């Protein structure tokens, strides 16, 4: 059974002014309790990877195995870069009544000067939704912009997670680098660090088959 979870302020999940890794970890813990799941394999990408790491470090009893996709338990890249993306998304203007394809094209054109990578623009544009004839972002940009430094950082933990852990990075992405290895080893002593050749930050989009193979090879045999 595979569950895909929208983080708070993302997708169909509720919006909240609070956006810390502790809060997002609790969201997942509450979901597991509600579903009666006592042990799970946890996989998270980027911010979701940090949430998964936080949960595994807080409640190792709930996590059988952990997979962190293209993120480490260290401070992530400059806040200013992400702040610019959020500002660009906030400034997108789309007239009412446009069909979805035209709205996406227009938003893409408006994002392009700031978000130069086409793959990243496409990723951001998955958040553009139509509500009563208006195109809006379904992510809570206000909360995200207020908590960018929290999202880029990672809480302090002293006790390691003892279970098997896979750090799966893209070879073309800077988010897992050798300078992060000591902290990875400290918090996740059973960590295996792998890179998928030719993938950027959105590993599962860039190299889907290779991503699936790496994940399936890491999972326990059925």
């Amino acid at each position: 059974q595979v569950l895909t979870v929208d983080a708070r302020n993302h997708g169909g999940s509720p919006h909240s002014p609070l956006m810390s890794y502790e809060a997002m970890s609790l969201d997942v813990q509450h979901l597991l309790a509600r579903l009666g799941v006592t042990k799970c394999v946890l996989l998270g990408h980027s911010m979701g990877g940090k949430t998964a790491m936080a949960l595994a470090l807080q409640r190792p009893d709930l996590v059988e195995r952990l997979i962190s996709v293209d993120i480490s338990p260290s401070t992530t890249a400059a806040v200013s870069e992400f702040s610019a993306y959020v500002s660009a998304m906030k400034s997108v203007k789309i007239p009412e009544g446009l069909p979805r394809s035209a709205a996406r094209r227009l938003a893409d054109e408006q994002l392009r000067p700031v978000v130069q990578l086409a793959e990243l623009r496409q990723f951001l544009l998955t958040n553009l939704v139509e509500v009563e004839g208006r195109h809006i972002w379904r992510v809570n940009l206000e909360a995200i912009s207020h908590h960018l430094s929290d999202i880029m950082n990672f809480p302090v933990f002293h006790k390691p997670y003892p279970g098997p852990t896979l750090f799966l990075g893209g070879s073309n992405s800077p988010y897992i680098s050798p300078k992060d290895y000591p902290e990875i080893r400290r918090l996740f002593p059973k960590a295996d660090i792998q890179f998928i050749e030719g993938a950027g930050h959105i590993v599962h989009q860039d190299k889907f088959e290779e991503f699936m193979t790496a994940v399936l090879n890491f999972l326990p045999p059925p």
Side-chain angles (χ1 to χ4, degrees):
Q1 185 184 27
V2 178
L3 300 172
T4 56
V5 182
D6 288 335
R8 60 171 59 201
N9 297 319
H10 287 69
S13 287
H15 285 192
S16 164
L18 180 65
M19 203 162 171
S20 65
Y21 285 113
E22 292 85 351
M24 290 189 279
S25 165
L26 273 174
D27 289 342
V28 182
Q29 290 177 48
H30 291 151
L31 176 66
L32 293 174
R34 189 172 163 187
L35 295 172
V37 176
T38 54
K39 203 95 170 166
C40 69
V41 174
L42 209 51
L43 183 153
H45 168 252
S46 199
M47 185 189 82
K50 286 191 173 183
T51 301
M53 284 186 264
L55 196 158
L57 290 160
Q58 288 171 324
R59 291 291 308 275
D61 55 302
L62 292 175
V63 183
E64 183 186 343
R65 286 174 185 237
L66 172 68
I67 305 169
S68 177
V69 182
D70 208 57
I71 205 75
S72 76
S74 306
T75 300
T76 309
V79 172
S80 58
E81 180 188 336
F82 286 89
S83 186
Y85 297 161
V86 171
S87 297
M89 289 171 79
K90 278 184 178 177
S91 64
V92 165
K93 299 279 186 292
I94 298 171
E96 287 190 28
L98 275 188
R100 179 172 163 73
S101 57
R104 275 182 70 104
R105 256 197 320 275
L106 189 58
D108 186 50
E109 284 167 18
Q110 292 178 37
L111 289 173
R112 189 177 293 129
V114 177
V115 188
Q116 274 128 23
L117 268 178
E119 298 90 343
L120 183 54
R121 285 201 308 279
Q122 292 312 306
F123 182 65
L124 296 177
L125 285 167
T126 60
N127 293 288
L128 192 68
V129 293
E130 188 181 347
V131 177
E132 294 170 0
R134 290 172 59 241
H135 285 87
I136 58 168
W137 299 109
R138 65 180 173 177
V139 286
N140 185 348
L141 291 173
E142 285 304 320
I144 291 169
S145 60
H146 285 141
H147 289 277
L148 266 182
S149 60
D150 293 327
I151 293 167
M152 296 299 129
N153 288 312
F154 189 68
V156 175
F157 291 97
H158 300 290
K159 197 173 175 189
Y161 166 68
T165 306
L166 173 63
F167 284 84
L168 188 58
S171 69
N172 297 341
S173 171
Y175 293 121
I176 300 175
S177 75
K179 68 176 172 49
D180 303 327
Y181 293 177
E183 187 66 353
I184 288 174
R185 300 275 178 232
R186 181 180 79 83
L187 290 173
F188 304 96
K190 285 193 185 168
D192 181 18
I193 302 167
Q194 296 177 24
F195 291 92
I196 292 182
E197 200 57 43
H201 181 50
I202 312 170
V203 186
H204 46 289
Q205 178 179 293
D206 293 348
K207 296 284 178 181
F208 176 74
E209 287 184 12
E210 294 90 333
F211 169 81
M212 288 303 298
T213 300
V215 168
L216 292 171
N217 286 343
F218 175 72
L219 294 181

